[in-house]
Amino acid sequence: MIAVGLLLAAVLTFVLSFAFTRIFHRSQTMSSDIAATRLPFFGALAAIVVKSALLALRRDQTGYQFWQFAWLVVLVTCVTWFLIRLSKGIENFMLERLQKKIGTGRKLAKVETQIGLLRRVLAAILVVLAVAAILLTIEQVRALGAGILASAGLMSVVVGLAVQTPLSNVFAGMQVAFTDSIRVGDTIVVEGERGSVEEITLSYVVVLLLDGRRMILPSTYFTTTPFENWSRRSTEISGNVVLELKWNAPVDYLRKRTTELLESSDLWDGRSNSLVVTDAVGGLQTVTIYLSARNAGDLWDLRNMVREKLLAELVADYPESLPDPRIQPEIGS
């Protein structure tokens, strides 16, 4: 009987998996997500089959209660596992549809951050409910209920102190996601380091730094500490290149060459292009080039390219305009 039931469970799992795979065959992610739900779905069906068989055939035998409890644990675990996998599949499906509708960008990153956080909250709730459901089937645990309720005042204080920091991080994580202060993919500066937001969880944020390191910060950091978000409204960003040159430097030539370099580069977004002399002290002038790019990474590469090209041309054609490296001039503020 049990073997037949398990065989039927396996067949039903395969048929439903095949049917939903065909229904969502146009989705790039749903096939893998559906495959991820097969094992927990089969496990839940198998637990129901075995529990039913034990109830029908082994109810009066020794060890019946133990095996019923064991298979109840399997059933609750598999159902919880299935629901968590299902929520992940729904999240991926929704994000895929939104990406086709609105494309990539800040709006999609906002939705991705919020939906991902909601899924993690749901997963945490499901795990807590599963553990509670298993424990409440134990008579000794149910008997403790009255005593726990009787000492609820003391317990609430103890639990409140114990979970104050974890809960504050959880609520801070929700605040970060739904107030839109940062999103997945944002370029931010934290603790003097620049990086991009790689992941936002219930209790911490992962920042991928420029050198490949990952800085993990508690969610409360982003609600209590000032930080820079270079892509808060858009990814476009402006910057400058500073050159210290002698007074005989060919400023007009540099201005012309800067425009030519920017217009020939795919890194420049066309918004800002200005070269001005911003200071002149101690026989040197400060030439500042203002430029812009679509994002922080492009700006970094664009600044380095412009600086390198202009200095190379000055060394080759106007070496007399470069300051003597042995002289340390006093530059005004």
Side-chain angles (χ1 to χ4, degrees):
M1 179 179 176
I2 294 179
V4 174
L6 293 178
L7 179 61
L8 291 175
V11 171
L12 181 60
T13 301
F14 175 79
V15 170
L16 290 177
S17 176
F18 178 78
F20 280 103
T21 301
R22 294 296 300 170
I23 292 173
F24 297 101
H25 69 279
R26 294 184 179 179
S27 173
Q28 299 177 354
T29 60
M30 284 303 291
S31 58
S32 59
D33 290 327
I34 292 172
T37 62
R38 291 174 188 165
L39 183 58
F41 183 76
F42 172 75
L45 291 181
I48 293 174
V49 169
V50 175
K51 278 180 61 64
S52 301
L54 289 174
L55 179 63
L57 304 175
R58 305 290 181 109
R59 188 170 187 177
D60 299 327
Q61 295 189 11
T62 304
Y64 167 77
Q65 294 294 338
F66 169 78
W67 287 110
Q68 279 285 23
F69 175 75
W71 282 102
L72 175 65
V73 172
V74 174
L75 175 60
V76 172
T77 301
C78 288
V79 169
T80 305
W81 183 11
F82 172 76
L83 291 176
I84 291 174
R85 288 288 191 180
L86 182 63
S87 65
K88 178 63 176 178
I90 294 174
E91 176 193 3
N92 290 336
F93 180 71
M94 292 175 61
L95 291 176
E96 186 177 355
R97 293 290 298 273
L98 283 173
Q99 184 175 1
K100 292 179 180 178
K101 184 177 180 180
I102 64 177
T104 59
R106 293 279 300 168
K107 191 172 182 179
L108 180 65
K110 177 182 178 181
V111 176
E112 180 181 359
T113 300
Q114 295 177 350
I115 292 180
L117 187 63
L118 285 175
R119 179 182 56 80
R120 292 184 178 93
V121 171
L122 177 62
I125 293 174
L126 289 173
V127 171
V128 171
L129 291 178
V131 173
I134 293 172
L135 292 178
L136 289 176
T137 61
I138 305 174
E139 293 184 5
Q140 292 81 353
V141 174
R142 288 203 305 266
L144 289 174
I148 293 174
L149 291 175
S151 58
L154 177 61
M155 288 296 294
S156 63
V157 175
V158 174
V159 173
L161 291 175
V163 303
Q164 182 177 7
T165 300
L167 282 182
S168 63
N169 273 323
V170 170
F171 288 118
M174 297 179 67
Q175 180 181 348
V176 164
F178 287 94
T179 56
D180 199 28
S181 58
I182 57 172
R183 303 173 184 175
V184 174
D186 276 359
T187 300
I188 62 176
V189 177
V190 289
E191 300 295 308
E193 300 272 5
R194 180 164 69 89
S196 61
V197 178
E198 185 176 52
E199 184 180 6
I200 299 176
T201 71
L202 282 176
S203 56
Y204 61 87
V205 176
V206 181
V207 181
L208 178 62
L209 303 180
L210 292 177
D211 57 6
R213 292 177 296 140
R214 285 171 172 81
M215 183 181 293
I216 302 176
L217 298 167
S219 299
T220 50
Y221 178 92
F222 295 92
T223 59
T224 60
T225 307
F227 64 94
E228 297 180 28
N229 189 337
W230 289 10
S231 49
R232 176 67 175 83
R233 294 298 180 188
S234 66
T235 59
E236 296 174 343
I237 188 171
S238 300
N240 60 66
V241 175
V242 178
L243 301 176
E244 299 288 348
L245 304 173
K246 291 183 179 179
W247 287 0
N248 61 347
V251 174
D252 290 336
Y253 169 79
L254 292 175
R255 186 175 289 116
K256 178 182 177 182
R257 281 295 295 144
T258 298
T259 299
E260 292 175 353
L261 290 173
L262 292 178
E263 290 178 347
S264 64
S265 174
D266 294 334
L267 301 172
W268 185 50
D269 65 355
R271 291 186 302 115
S272 178
N273 172 20
S274 175
L275 185 149
V276 294
V277 177
T278 55
D279 202 0
V281 177
L284 294 179
Q285 60 178 333
T286 302
V287 176
T288 303
I289 303 168
Y290 297 95
L291 37 76
S292 59
R294 287 178 293 273
N295 54 62
D298 286 355
L299 179 65
W300 172 263
D301 294 336
L302 183 63
R303 291 173 62 191
N304 292 338
M305 184 272 291
V306 170
R307 184 186 298 111
E308 178 182 341
K309 294 287 187 180
L310 291 181
L311 286 177
E313 293 182 12
L314 288 173
V315 169
D317 302 328
Y318 302 93
E320 68 280 359
S321 65
L322 297 173
D324 190 337
R326 295 171 297 177
I327 300 177
Q328 300 296 327
E330 181 181 351
I331 305 298
S333 57

